Amino acid sequence: MVSSANLGFPRMGANRELKKLVEAYWAGKVTEQELQQGSKDLRAAHWKLQKDSGIDIIPSNDFSFYDHVLDAAHTFGVIPSKYQHLQSGLESYFAMGRGLQRAGDANVQAVDVPAQEMKKWFDTNYHYIVPEFASNQQFSLANSKPIDEYLEAKAIGIETRPVILGPISFLLLGKAVKGDSVQPIQLLEKLVPVYEQLLSKLKQAGASDVQLDEPVLILDLPASIKDAFKHAYEVLVKSSPRILVATYFGRLDSNVEFLTQLPIHGIHLDLVRAPEQLDSVLKVLPAHQTLSLGVINGRNIWKANLSKAIETVIKAVQAIGSDRVIVAPSCSMLHTPHSTESETKMDQEILDWLAFSAEKLHELATIKEAVATGPASVQAKLQANADSLARRAASKRIHRQEVKDRVNNISPDQLKRRSPFPERQKLQQEKLKLPKFPTTTVGSFPQTREVRLARSKLKKGEYTPEQYDEFIKGEVQKCVKFQEDANIDVLVHGEFERNDMVEFFGENFEGHVFTQNGWVQSYGSRCVKPPVIFGDVSRSRPITVYWSQYAQSLTKKPMKGMLTGPITCLQWSFVRDDQPRKDTANQLAFAIRDEVVDLEKAGIPVIQIDEPAIREGLPLRRADWDAYLQWAVDAFLLSSTGVHDQTQIHTHMCYSDFNDIFPSIKRMDADVITIENSKSDLKLLNAFEQHSYTNEIGPGVYDIHSPRVPSVQEMQERVAAMLKYLPTGLVWVNPDCGLKTRGWPEVEQALRNLTQVAQSFRAQA
Ligand code: GLN
Ligand code: ZN
């Protein structure tokens, strides 16, 4: 009979219990034992919830104190030498995840170790800890977490399918330790025996099945990696429970051929991202393999179309028989919030369209029931689902013809500036009269405790809007005055009125709602609450003009208006699934374009449109890059080109490596781009030169991710290095990102140093 499965449940808990527990442990407020007991209770609650929801195959070892890739590193003994002097167990584990600093005394030595690198988990907003391997790497079964958690569930009467990051993905997601040149995949032969050991222990403990996650299978893989798969899995199956290899976030494409030839017991497919792959897989699936169908979206929050999912499952059942079919979410539910139950304040009409993790479990169970015993058995549920979808499709809240008309009638003129850059540059120079090596910042200034307190007072009604307004004005005044004193050339207002760069705009755009408790894990104990874009997006009134204009009134120097770009808004929200992302991006772009035009009308001469997330939206398969870059850059152009030539448009990018999308950055045609480069990556500068980038550029010279104040000399060296690649006339001097996470004293000192650096280069020029 068809069964239902889950691939992973969000770890945090209905009220972010895990976050609170872990943070209390770090602060020394709860003991390790309390931490262990609290998380054990949480795991039990999540297993029971899944069982009570009617899920047949329930995951274990999907729990993590910090990150599942870090868990794998810790379990397989991949602990770089700099952490080996720490206590094994939680101390070294958390040190690898978040660094550890501890003062010493007469008896104990001081500790100061940095965290390992963090990277985005494929194209999600979850970040994993990058494992570090050495050429002489030894592996060992350093802890028994997967077995312990399997037995823990068993002890409360719940049989589970342990989830383990597969060996190939584990190695490919990692890197060599500093100074070593090993390619982690070369270590496979040494790693496999330890996986074997773990799997056979799970089998002895009673596990009949395991889920090995190999998300790298949806990437373009060279032949050598395919061989590595074959090599590893032929060995692993021998002593293992039945192995299901889980793939997600995309399509297998040609990887399906070798995967179906492995002696594994089953394959999981993401049929939300890649529904078209079902047919091709059904054709080649050998008789000994089961197929897990990811028909419910594990990454978004909309109710599924149950009848469509049922059709898909029935098709598979007809092709390979019901015993070989499993109904599942597309990927782990790690990427969706816990439950809609705590959304007590949300608009009822919209709440009716949503399914978070707990609700998705019911969807899975219903699909399974419908296929196993016939739709009549769940008729009421199917009808309720169909009604809800119909209400959503017809809602007047979603569809606004004037917004759609605008997007359907984009003219080529709306995607380009009036004149080419050299002409604009001349006009901007006449207007702004900036010196060589102009200085600016990326936008935000320190969000101090007072700033956050004022916002929370406003929310609680302890401040009237007028009081809050006065408070923010005071902050803007201080900020502008400081920038004048420090001799910065293009000023900003400081973004004190904003909670978050995406949420702030979402709150002011049509078509968005906000959850009360829709948290998803971003990294470690950090959770984010993405806005929900449910309908057509537009801007009904100016959003930032008030503060930019106020700030401009305080100074004769040019004030820079600060906006978040359309692709970043899209990437960091839960996006509606009833139209292509491209259309939503264009709607956002028009809303921002309207704001840009209003800022210009209000006398703001420089406007920055941040796109830190444009690179992370890049599809996982190379073949899909061009299509994405086409519409993403078009959306940026649409947002930024409504102004006269004299108005200087800036953009800002950070968090990633931009070398591989250079032609697209060029096509964005921003007058000035400020870009994260404070680690002095000459590769990036080289790329600007190679692609003969001609617009102005500010590679960051001050690393704002650290409280360190960079010295004048240090920043001078960075600018000097830049000038080997970039012509003097194009270079700006600025930090590498916004300053909101920093404190005032360090920022003041660093920015004074920074303007001094610019002056010294001007003197030489
Ligand atoms: N303007 C934003 C700020 O300064 C940019 C933040 C970012 O790039 N992540 O905070
Ligand atoms: Zn940034």
Side-chain angles (χ1 to χ4, degrees):
M1 196 172 74
V2 175
S3 47
S4 60
N6 191 12
L7 304 193
F9 195 76
R11 305 150 183 162
M12 283 297 154
N15 294 303
R16 285 179 297 155
E17 289 85 345
L18 182 60
K19 172 194 177 67
K20 293 168 192 165
L21 206 53
V22 166
E23 289 178 357
Y25 172 73
W26 293 337
K29 291 183 188 140
V30 307
T31 62
E32 171 164 358
Q33 216 232 317
E34 287 168 310
L35 172 68
Q36 296 290 6
Q37 186 58 46
S39 23
K40 189 173 172 186
D41 295 344
L42 209 50
R43 288 191 289 270
H46 293 168
W47 286 320
K48 282 186 190 138
L49 177 70
Q50 294 175 82
K51 182 156 192 172
D52 294 345
S53 306
I55 302 300
D56 303 317
I57 303 171
I58 295 169
S60 61
N61 197 40
D62 52 340
F63 173 87
S64 176
F65 279 128
Y66 203 89
D67 160 47
H68 52 271
V69 183
L70 178 58
D71 288 344
H74 221 246
T75 294
F76 296 114
V78 184
I79 300 173
S81 55
K82 59 178 174 268
Y83 305 101
Q84 282 173 8
H85 68 291
L86 302 172
Q87 284 170 39
S88 63
L90 287 184
E91 183 167 277
S92 66
Y93 176 82
F94 284 131
M96 286 160 71
R98 57 194 292 272
L100 181 63
Q101 244 175 350
R102 196 170 50 208
D105 59 28
N107 305 316
V108 288
Q109 261 204 325
V111 177
D112 187 1
V113 284
Q116 291 188 299
E117 190 196 345
M118 197 162 76
K119 252 199 186 155
K120 275 189 180 278
W121 178 242
F122 297 85
D123 59 354
T124 71
N125 280 325
Y126 176 85
H127 303 72
Y128 73 94
I129 301 295
V130 180
E132 290 177 21
F133 301 96
S135 340
N136 60 352
Q137 184 70 49
Q138 298 301 318
F139 298 99
S140 66
L141 200 53
N143 67 46
S144 51
K145 175 180 184 289
I147 306 158
D148 298 344
E149 289 180 14
Y150 170 76
L151 291 173
E152 190 181 301
K154 206 182 185 72
I156 55 170
I158 297 177
E159 187 56 38
T160 59
R161 182 174 68 187
V163 185
I164 297 158
L165 182 60
I168 311 294
S169 294
F170 177 48
L171 292 173
L172 291 184
L173 290 168
K175 63 174 186 186
V177 291
K178 216 172 159 192
D180 194 317
S181 61
V182 70
Q183 288 188 350
I185 196 69
Q186 295 166 342
L187 303 167
L188 183 63
E189 223 158 300
K190 282 207 260 176
L191 175 62
V192 165
V194 187
Y195 265 83
E196 249 188 305
Q197 210 185 331
L198 172 63
L199 292 170
S200 73
K201 284 194 171 181
L202 279 167
K203 191 173 184 176
Q204 280 160 30
S208 58
D209 295 84
V210 285
Q211 170 189 327
L212 290 188
D213 281 358
E214 291 284 16
V216 297
L217 282 164
I218 56 100
L219 304 176
D220 302 311
L221 296 177
S224 60
I225 299 296
K226 300 180 187 178
D227 288 343
F229 264 101
K230 193 162 155 339
H231 188 82
Y233 281 84
E234 276 174 359
V235 176
L236 292 183
V237 285
K238 290 187 192 138
S239 43
S240 170
R242 288 182 298 213
I243 294 176
L244 175 97
V245 170
T247 71
Y248 38 79
F249 303 148
R251 56 182 190 272
L252 280 167
D253 264 4
S254 60
N255 294 338
V256 77
E257 276 140 37
F258 79 88
L259 190 61
T260 46
Q261 281 159 27
L262 297 184
I264 54 176
H265 190 262
I267 297 171
H268 171 82
L269 300 178
D270 183 337
L271 295 178
V272 173
R273 271 286 176 87
E276 72 284 358
Q277 62 178 339
L278 179 61
D279 288 333
S280 51
V281 175
L282 284 174
K283 265 189 226 137
V284 294
L285 196 78
H288 66 273
Q289 285 183 354
T290 55
L291 198 58
S292 168
L293 310 174
V295 288
I296 295 278
N297 196 339
R299 295 182 52 164
N300 212 335
I301 46 150
W302 307 103
K303 273 185 187 167
N305 183 330
L306 293 184
S307 67
K308 225 175 106 199
I310 290 166
E311 251 175 58
T312 304
V313 178
I314 289 177
K315 183 175 180 187
V317 166
Q318 283 168 351
I320 60 173
S322 62
D323 289 340
R324 291 169 61 203
V325 173
I326 301 172
V327 182
S330 60
C331 58
S332 162
M333 293 180 188
L334 180 63
H335 313 288
T336 50
H338 189 90
S339 165
T340 59
E341 239 162 64
S342 49
E343 299 303 324
T344 51
K345 292 191 187 145
M346 190 182 283
D347 184 309
Q348 289 297 313
E349 182 181 359
I350 294 169
L351 187 60
D352 171 47
W353 309 337
L354 304 183
F356 294 175
S357 300
E359 294 72 36
K360 287 177 193 292
L361 296 173
H362 289 289
E363 294 187 332
L364 288 171
T366 305
I367 296 168
K368 179 221 145 158
E369 246 351 270
V371 177
T373 35
S377 64
V378 282
Q379 194 45 47
K381 286 180 185 162
L382 296 181
Q383 193 56 52
N385 174 261
D387 290 347
S388 171
L389 296 186
R391 282 193 297 272
R392 179 177 165 205
S395 170
K396 296 215 165 46
R397 308 279 297 282
I398 295 181
H399 304 288
R400 303 211 339 276
Q401 200 51 47
E402 71 280 13
V403 178
K404 294 188 203 299
D405 286 347
R406 245 181 134 184
V407 167
N408 290 334
N409 293 298
I410 298 172
S411 70
D413 278 352
Q414 288 174 309
L415 298 176
K416 63 180 207 300
R417 295 289 293 271
R418 295 172 200 189
S419 310
F421 175 71
E423 285 166 46
R424 305 196 307 263
Q425 191 184 29
K426 225 186 295 144
L427 295 169
Q428 290 165 18
Q429 184 50 30
E430 278 163 24
K431 180 172 179 193
L432 299 170
K433 301 197 171 49
L434 296 173
K436 284 221 166 68
F437 300 99
T439 52
T440 191
T441 63
V442 173
S444 58
F445 267 72
Q447 284 261 333
T448 54
R449 224 176 61 84
E450 293 76 48
V451 173
R452 277 175 286 144
L453 195 67
R455 195 156 43 238
S456 100
K457 280 188 174 169
L458 175 72
K459 258 197 179 151
K460 287 190 205 138
E462 291 166 22
Y463 260 181
T464 63
E466 293 72 28
Q467 280 171 314
Y468 180 69
D469 196 83
E470 276 312 302
F471 172 83
I472 299 286
K473 276 189 176 151
E475 295 297 305
V476 175
Q477 284 164 21
K478 270 191 275 178
C479 183
V480 170
K481 177 154 188 328
F482 163 72
Q483 294 173 82
E484 285 198 319
D485 279 358
N487 239 322
I488 293 179
D489 301 306
V490 173
L491 311 198
V492 297
H493 74 287
E495 300 182 23
F496 302 106
E497 78 288 11
R498 304 184 188 176
N499 35 8
D500 169 273
M501 65 187 288
V502 171
E503 191 173 345
F504 175 77
F505 287 92
E507 275 172 353
N508 288 285
F509 286 153
E510 313 292 318
H512 286 63
V513 276
F514 291 83
T515 63
Q516 256 168 288
N517 214 19
W519 297 100
V520 286
Q521 189 176 5
S522 170
Y523 65 88
S525 66
R526 201 180 145 80
C527 300
V528 295
K529 208 156 51 99
V532 177
I533 305 180
F534 68 86
D536 288 339
V537 178
S538 64
R539 186 206 69 150
S540 50
R541 60 184 180 282
I543 299 168
T544 65
V545 172
Y546 178 81
W547 287 115
S548 292
Q549 207 166 24
Y550 174 70
Q552 182 67 84
S553 78
L554 303 172
T555 179
K556 292 210 162 56
K557 290 197 164 176
M559 181 58 59
K560 180 159 71 166
M562 298 299 314
L563 305 174
T564 303
I567 302 303
T568 300
C569 289
L570 192 76
Q571 277 302 119
W572 293 349
S573 301
F574 282 123
V575 180
R576 56 193 288 195
D577 61 351
D578 59 348
Q579 70 180 17
R581 285 171 81 79
K582 171 186 169 182
D583 292 346
T584 307
N586 280 332
Q587 293 182 357
L588 285 159
F590 267 121
I592 297 158
R593 182 182 178 95
D594 293 346
E595 186 73 11
V596 170
V597 169
D598 279 345
L599 281 169
E600 181 183 63
K601 273 194 207 136
I604 304 301
V606 182
I607 300 166
Q608 176 170 314
I609 306 171
D610 288 324
E611 282 291 21
I614 198 158
R615 169 68 176 75
E616 73 187 48
L618 209 58
L620 296 163
R621 292 259 187 194
R622 192 98 201 191
D624 305 334
W625 282 20
D626 288 351
Y628 163 78
L629 288 169
Q630 183 65 40
W631 65 255
V633 173
D634 279 356
F636 178 82
L637 288 168
L638 185 59
S639 74
S640 61
T641 58
V643 287
H644 294 92
D645 290 338
Q646 286 83 349
T647 297
Q648 187 170 65
I649 297 289
H650 289 214
T651 189
H652 165 70
M653 293 182 192
C654 55
Y655 300 135
S656 20
D657 204 345
F658 294 100
N659 301 350
D660 49 7
I661 59 161
F662 226 89
S664 298
I665 295 184
K666 207 166 152 180
R667 196 163 80 80
M668 288 166 75
D669 197 25
D671 297 308
V672 181
I673 172 170
T674 61
I675 193 159
E676 177 175 328
N677 186 52
S678 57
K679 297 185 186 85
S680 294
D681 180 3
L682 297 181
K683 254 194 346 220
L684 177 67
L685 298 178
N686 203 358
F688 276 104
E689 190 189 34
Q690 296 251 308
H691 293 268
S692 41
Y693 191 83
T694 54
N695 301 13
E696 298 180 24
I697 320 161
V701 294
Y702 158 24
D703 175 9
I704 64 87
H705 305 91
S706 152
R708 274 187 76 241
V709 173
S711 68
V712 172
Q713 194 197 341
E714 188 179 332
M715 290 192 277
Q716 255 165 351
E717 283 163 13
R718 284 180 182 167
V719 175
M722 278 153 51
L723 291 176
K724 295 209 180 95
Y725 296 89
L726 310 172
T728 306
L730 299 184
V731 173
W732 284 61
V733 181
N734 48 263
D736 69 349
C737 195
L739 303 165
K740 70 174 173 210
T741 56
R742 299 267 62 92
W744 269 105
E746 54 197 85
V747 161
E748 285 184 17
Q749 192 52 52
L751 291 179
R752 286 185 204 278
N753 289 355
L754 184 140
T755 54
Q756 216 180 306
V757 170
Q759 271 154 7
S760 72
F761 279 95
R762 275 171 213 160
Q764 292 164 31

